[in-house]
Amino acid sequence: MTDPVGKIPSELDQLPDRDTEETAEWAASLDAVTKAAGPHRAAYLMRRTLQHAEGAGLALPKLLETDYVNSIPTSAEPVIDGDEEMERRITAWNRWNAAAMVTRGAKHGVGGHIATFASAAWLYETGFNHFFKGKESGDAAGSGDQLYIQGHASPGIYARAFLDGRLNEAHLDNFRQESGGNGLPSYPHPRRLPWLWEFPTVSMGLGPLSAIYQARFNRYLTNRGIKDVSSSHVWAFLGDGEMDEPESTAALALAAREGLDNLTFVINCNLQRLDGPVRANFKIVQELEAQFRGAGWNVVKSLWGGAWDELFALDTTGALVRRLREVPDAQVQTYQTRDAAYIRQDFFGSDPALVAMAQLLSDDKILECFHLSRGGHEPRKVYAAYKAALEFKGAPTVVLAQTVKGFTLGEGFASKNANHQMKKLSVDEFKNMRDLLGLPISDAQFVDGVVPYGHPGADSPEVRYLQERRAALGGPAPARRVQPLAPLPAPAEKAFAAFDKGSGTQSMATTMAFVRLVKDLIRDKETGKRWVPIVPDEARTFGMESLFPSLGIYSPKGQTYEPVDRDQLMYYKEAVNGQILNEGITEAGSMADFIAASSSYATHGEAMIPFYIFYSMFGWQRTADQMWQLGDQLGRGFLVGATAGRTTLTGEGLQHADGHSPMIAATNPAALSYDPAFAYEVAAIVKEGLRRMYGEAAEGEDQNVFYYLTVYNEPMPQPAKPAGADEGIIKGLYRFNTAESAGLDLPADASRIQLLSSGTAIHWALEAQKLLAAEWGVGADVWSATSWTELRRDALEADAALLRGEEQVPYIRKALEGVESPVLAVSDYMRQVPDQIAQWVEQDWSSLGADGFGLSDTRQAARRHFGVDAQSIVVAALAQLARRGEVPASAVKEARERYGL
């Protein structure tokens, strides 16, 4: 008997074979088929057997790749529920107007993209006509479906909105010209066009990542009983080139693991990215299929149009399918631009069986197949793929639709490497396009060489059909609706006031103060359930493990095991209705969670209060693009950068030492960035944030903001709140104490300096205040600068008001009014952070900061290294006073020597 596994070691060798003779017979049968009918026939039979086994419910590993053919045969395609000819005319109008809009805008030099929508038109139109639920859909609870539109396809979405009456010609003529107030943004930007766009997607890779976490958040809302959105479906439209972004595939396993069958990716595989082929020497469709199947997704391939059926029917040897699998994508792109003779020679000439097949095909047939017939360009193919995606249960689906980039735009565009950068068509190219699409646009309508917009009329059959289809699906899409929600009731004052008296002799880090505050707020009967705690596998670092048993960690499977710490008070508890989103080690995934929760007030009409707590170094530096996406999506909530500052995290070193996150946050107009020094400041800022984002907003106040709080992990005594400090806490600056109120003895003629500090640095400033008084006879007042950024923004607004002829004094000048002594600012960040306000401070200004790279050491040693500890502050203060002649210059040298600086 022959060994069925030959000489190759196999994992099966370690398992007992109860019938080696039977195993050998199967192997011998396969050998016989291979010898008699060839290896391709043997492979076909093996795949058929595996397919049969899967259908019979046998537990077998799946193949990661299938042949380069459609997943759904033509014979199995369902009949489209609609008027196909009417939909063809609608799509033709949209193709035309998308190209016309970009071309007309080209004279202003504003750019635009034509080729993407040209390739993807049927992918969108089929969805709009038959699948995408609107906000008024009866079974989608006012949420509808969530559509993540490929950014470069935006002209096609505007064209459709123009056809159904939501936009007019003036809007289209202001594409990418927004400053006048009536323009259309270049890409999906909710902040710029908030009634249309829900999700910003053109920062490539963020759309697919966000779509996964949006689908997951929909399940979270449903499982927690906040709102049943189980009928909402998330559709993400992506480009095959976009899949190179690591974020595009970062969460595929999460989607499969949690069985997110409320999610469909539609990847437009036109085989081209911005500069050329996506996989010139390989096949992107096969690569993506393997990647998604390996991650556990259902894969539907829609590659070839109906014209290919005749060729596949002639492929009795499998030669055609083999050839399709081996031809690289760049060569497929070349076929799109070459004549029949070239295709006969290069494609069919490689195999005698294919040569014989080609002899049965006319040139017209070959050109139809290789130039025109793609699965993504035929509505029946797309309809079948989408229907299969919705009907598949237990896993998300990806539709891989093959198209031609620049389809219908003419020979100058189709499949050309440069077509992504081509912004316009000539008049002759438009006329050719008109004839191809069969549109009733006359030559006379091209006035002075300007391409006209096309519209069949507001009461035309096409428009009526379009509007009827959308009405049946629940209204227009895409659409963003913000329902008039009642302000959330303010939590009881007790939770915030608990920090007003300070911590007495107990030391507390502001990280812990924030966690304690949130624990109390989550207990609130009215709003507690709306908090969404998000943490990237660092809950214990931030002292949040006490929330595990009380709130539970969200898991769609609940807890199918007995936790190892079940007998402990703070055991690890997972639950289907868990409130905490503990995402594992993924800041990007955590941010995507936050974005979904932060915009739930608009997406689902349910205001949620997310807070995402993270190592501050791994927030803005790592995921600042997503923070920008958050602002663009008009999200609301609290980002909390814990262990913040360059020197507060002992021993961790360079990669953990945050000396710049407030500076990056300052670049985001939607971020209100605070660096609170004390627990009562944290409470005051959170209280104000809840009012502004979720409560009664003041007149003219933008609610679509989010807060960034930096909190430190260094236990320090927390003082009581000074009377009247609340306004300054929110505006960014207040005087914490004076040398006199601190009980320090000073000579009558003492020089004075103002110490402005933020976050943990205020404790070094307070120590420096004592040293200055006791050892140098200098009086120092200590100010808490809770937000350098808000002070700067207020000053910028005052400057702008002056240009408008309005008198407005910056708050920083009001706060320091009457102060004649110099100002020394210090923080645990680079000097750029406090220096944001320097130009508006009328007093003599100087600053200290932790510039440069971080390092591993004790806190005190790190602060001495960066020159921001109490003694360094004293020397800097004396130097500033010496320059003014208020202390002897010798005092500076003496202080340096005394403190070993």
Side-chain angles (χ1 to χ4, degrees):
M1 183 181 66
T2 304
D3 182 357
V5 295
K7 298 180 181 180
I8 302 174
S10 166
E11 71 275 7
L12 297 177
D13 293 347
Q14 61 193 311
L15 305 175
D17 186 346
R18 69 180 186 181
D19 192 337
T20 57
E21 186 174 348
E22 181 183 39
T23 304
E25 290 173 354
W26 275 79
S29 297
L30 182 62
D31 290 342
V33 171
T34 302
K35 184 177 181 179
H40 302 299
R41 177 61 181 171
Y44 176 83
L45 291 175
M46 286 297 297
R47 291 180 56 199
R48 273 294 190 188
T49 302
L50 289 172
Q51 189 179 66
H52 178 79
E54 183 179 350
L58 298 182
L60 291 172
K62 292 184 178 181
L63 294 175
L64 294 185
E65 281 188 41
T66 61
D67 283 326
Y68 203 67
V69 296
N70 295 345
S71 301
I72 304 171
T74 299
S75 59
E77 291 171 3
V79 176
I80 292 181
D81 179 23
D83 186 332
E84 293 184 59
E85 173 56 27
M86 187 68 73
E87 293 176 18
R88 185 201 65 78
R89 296 205 300 268
I90 290 170
T91 303
W93 285 116
N94 291 338
R95 285 182 181 278
W96 177 272
N97 287 321
M101 173 174 49
V102 175
T103 297
R104 287 167 67 121
K107 65 182 180 182
H108 301 293
V110 294
H113 299 284
I114 303 176
T116 294
F117 178 73
S119 68
W122 278 115
L123 303 181
Y124 291 107
E125 295 297 326
T126 303
F128 286 129
N129 289 330
H130 300 282
F131 294 98
F132 304 158
K133 296 174 185 174
K135 297 292 187 183
E136 297 150 24
S137 174
D139 65 346
S143 297
D145 287 351
Q146 286 80 59
L147 308 180
Y148 288 77
I149 304 295
Q150 192 180 359
H152 294 124
S154 61
I157 309 305
Y158 291 140
R160 186 177 175 90
F162 170 64
L163 201 64
D164 73 8
R166 292 197 290 165
L167 294 175
N168 57 39
E169 288 193 13
H171 288 121
L172 300 191
D173 268 344
N174 280 303
F175 175 58
R176 292 191 167 196
Q177 298 174 73
E178 299 177 77
S179 61
N182 295 314
L184 299 179
S186 52
Y187 304 122
H189 291 309
R191 186 169 285 276
R192 289 299 182 215
L193 201 62
W195 60 267
L196 180 73
W197 298 119
E198 280 196 284
F199 308 108
T201 53
V202 84
S203 188
M204 290 192 217
L206 300 191
L209 179 68
S210 291
I212 290 173
Y213 280 89
Q214 181 66 57
R216 197 282 196 91
F217 184 74
N218 290 359
R219 290 281 173 85
Y220 172 88
L221 278 184
T222 300
N223 289 339
R224 285 198 54 217
I226 302 293
K227 182 179 181 181
D228 184 357
V229 293
S230 54
S231 292
S232 287
H233 199 83
V234 178
W235 300 82
F237 289 84
L238 319 168
D240 48 0
E242 182 177 6
M243 301 311 293
D244 285 346
E245 288 284 4
E247 295 90 349
S248 294
T249 55
L252 297 187
L254 167 77
R257 184 169 64 244
E258 299 203 0
L260 297 180
D261 50 24
N262 61 338
L263 170 67
T264 297
F265 274 19
V266 180
I267 303 182
N268 177 17
C269 298
N270 57 34
L271 314 185
Q272 289 182 250
R273 52 188 175 200
L274 275 60
D275 287 334
V278 178
R279 295 289 183 271
N281 296 297
F282 306 95
K283 301 194 78 64
I284 185 60
V285 169
Q286 300 300 91
E287 178 183 320
L288 292 175
E289 179 183 27
Q291 193 169 18
F292 278 87
R293 284 192 189 277
W297 286 53
N298 175 45
V299 178
V300 178
K301 295 198 290 191
S302 183
L303 307 181
W304 306 111
W308 283 83
D309 288 349
E310 180 182 336
L311 277 67
F312 290 128
L314 294 171
D315 188 27
T316 57
T317 66
L320 175 64
V321 171
R322 291 195 299 275
R323 182 63 175 147
L324 288 174
R325 288 196 68 178
E326 71 187 21
V327 174
D329 283 352
Q331 191 64 22
V332 173
Q333 182 182 347
T334 297
Y335 294 148
Q336 176 69 32
T337 65
R338 298 301 181 91
D339 60 20
Y342 177 90
I343 298 170
R344 284 182 187 276
Q345 175 64 35
D346 191 87
F347 181 85
F348 291 98
S350 63
D351 187 298
L354 292 179
V355 171
M357 179 188 294
Q359 291 172 352
L360 302 175
L361 304 174
S362 67
D363 285 357
D364 286 345
K365 183 65 178 181
I366 289 176
L367 293 178
E368 180 187 13
C369 289
F370 284 84
H371 285 193
L372 302 175
S373 190
R374 299 290 187 274
H377 295 323
E378 297 189 10
R380 288 196 176 196
K381 304 290 183 188
V382 178
Y383 183 92
Y386 288 3
K387 193 170 187 295
L390 291 179
E391 291 174 351
F392 190 89
K393 300 303 176 186
T397 293
V398 58
V399 175
L400 302 176
Q402 185 167 248
T403 67
V404 174
K405 194 166 186 178
F407 189 67
T408 74
L409 297 180
E411 294 181 0
F413 264 84
S415 284
K416 296 298 174 65
N417 281 338
N419 62 19
H420 188 79
Q421 308 301 332
M422 297 162 70
K423 312 300 183 186
K424 60 183 178 179
L425 278 71
S426 68
V427 170
D428 286 341
E429 286 172 325
F430 266 110
K431 289 179 180 179
N432 290 334
M433 181 182 177
R434 170 201 62 190
D435 297 340
L436 175 65
L437 297 176
L439 292 172
I441 297 173
S442 68
D443 288 355
Q445 291 177 262
F446 289 83
V447 180
D448 296 328
V450 177
V451 57
Y453 293 121
H455 200 293
D459 196 39
S460 64
E462 292 91 338
V463 172
R464 288 201 306 272
Y465 179 88
L466 182 156
Q467 293 175 341
E468 287 167 3
R469 298 302 302 181
R470 289 312 315 160
L473 287 165
R480 183 177 182 273
R481 301 272 181 88
V482 180
Q483 304 296 338
L485 300 177
L488 294 182
E493 181 64 27
K494 180 180 178 182
F496 304 105
F499 299 94
D500 288 355
K501 294 182 180 179
S503 61
T505 58
Q506 179 186 6
S507 292
M508 179 194 302
T510 53
T511 300
M512 184 53 63
F514 176 82
V515 172
R516 288 187 185 180
L517 172 64
V518 170
K519 284 173 63 177
D520 288 340
L521 294 175
I522 289 177
R523 295 191 186 103
D524 185 85
K525 292 181 180 179
E526 295 289 335
T527 60
K529 68 178 182 179
R530 298 192 176 276
W531 284 86
V532 183
I534 303 168
V535 61
D537 199 37
E538 290 281 6
R540 297 183 192 278
T541 302
F542 307 135
M544 291 175 59
E545 66 268 33
S546 62
L547 299 177
F548 288 170
S550 58
L551 300 183
I553 299 166
Y554 172 74
S555 169
K557 288 187 176 295
Q559 194 154 35
T560 61
Y561 61 92
E562 183 177 354
V564 66
D565 54 0
R566 182 64 181 85
D567 57 344
Q568 297 179 15
L569 181 62
M570 292 184 287
Y571 68 97
Y572 195 84
K573 177 186 174 183
E574 296 187 82
V576 173
N577 64 346
Q579 193 164 351
I580 301 170
L581 292 172
N582 191 323
E583 290 305 350
I585 305 174
T586 168
E587 286 83 7
S590 299
M591 267 306 303
D593 256 338
F594 187 91
I595 290 169
S598 72
S599 52
S600 178
Y601 72 93
T603 309
H604 295 302
E606 294 286 346
M608 304 298 287
I609 312 172
F611 77 86
Y612 164 35
I613 186 168
F614 51 89
Y615 267 89
S616 65
M617 184 66 164
F618 304 142
W620 285 89
Q621 174 168 298
R622 197 168 216 170
T623 56
D625 196 11
Q626 287 178 285
M627 274 78 162
W628 197 268
Q629 178 189 12
L630 167 64
D632 198 357
Q633 199 164 314
L634 293 86
R636 306 169 184 174
F638 297 94
L639 297 176
V640 183
T643 62
R646 183 142 278 162
T647 69
T648 63
L649 190 60
T650 57
E652 291 285 3
L654 185 152
Q655 288 186 322
H656 288 66
D658 169 25
H660 51 277
S661 70
M663 201 69 245
I664 306 176
T667 66
N668 191 313
L672 306 186
S673 177
Y674 286 87
D675 186 29
F678 303 121
Y680 66 77
E681 292 179 357
V682 172
I685 294 164
V686 171
K687 179 182 177 182
E688 170 65 9
L690 289 173
R691 179 206 66 78
R692 177 165 178 174
M693 295 184 291
Y694 301 97
E696 293 283 359
E699 184 178 353
E701 192 172 49
D702 184 5
Q703 285 188 284
N704 298 317
V705 296
F706 60 92
Y707 282 68
Y708 175 53
L709 278 73
T710 49
V711 290
Y712 54 83
N713 72 325
E714 183 176 5
M716 300 295 289
Q718 297 296 327
K721 180 166 71 173
D726 288 284
E727 181 186 16
I729 292 173
I730 303 307
K731 287 185 175 295
L733 182 71
Y734 68 97
R735 181 155 29 199
F736 174 71
N737 71 9
T738 63
E740 290 76 13
S741 67
L744 302 177
D745 292 328
L746 292 170
D749 60 346
S751 298
R752 188 166 292 268
I753 193 167
Q754 308 298 312
L755 301 180
L756 275 58
S757 51
S758 67
T760 190
I762 201 167
H763 299 288
W764 326 328
L766 289 169
E767 185 181 348
Q769 181 188 47
K770 295 176 183 177
L771 290 173
L772 283 166
E775 299 184 12
W776 307 98
V778 171
D781 299 340
V782 176
W783 299 68
S784 179
T786 54
S787 179
W788 308 101
T789 302
E790 287 305 293
L791 290 172
R792 175 180 176 81
R793 288 177 177 170
D794 171 80
L796 289 171
E797 173 54 33
D799 286 356
L802 286 175
L803 293 177
R804 297 192 300 266
E806 304 168 13
E807 189 67 31
Q808 191 170 316
V809 180
Y811 177 80
I812 180 65
R813 286 185 181 163
K814 291 180 183 177
L816 294 174
E817 188 176 7
V819 171
E820 296 181 358
S821 51
V823 169
L824 173 61
V826 60
S827 78
D828 203 15
Y829 300 96
M830 57 197 301
R831 287 176 61 180
Q832 255 180 290
V833 174
D835 283 350
Q836 290 180 86
I837 65 169
Q839 72 183 82
W840 293 280
V841 174
E842 296 177 318
Q843 292 78 6
D844 181 22
W845 172 273
S846 185
S847 64
L848 296 175
D851 286 84
F853 287 112
L855 76 167
S856 303
D857 214 314
T858 64
R859 293 184 179 111
Q860 188 57 38
R863 285 161 190 166
R864 174 57 58 92
H865 169 82
F866 287 111
V868 292
D869 61 350
Q871 291 78 11
S872 297
I873 293 173
V874 169
V875 172
L878 293 174
Q880 194 169 2
L881 291 169
R883 287 195 298 271
R884 296 164 58 91
E886 296 183 23
V887 299
S890 59
V892 181
K893 181 175 183 294
E894 181 184 348
R896 281 201 305 269
E897 293 173 351
R898 181 181 302 182
Y899 300 135
L901 296 176

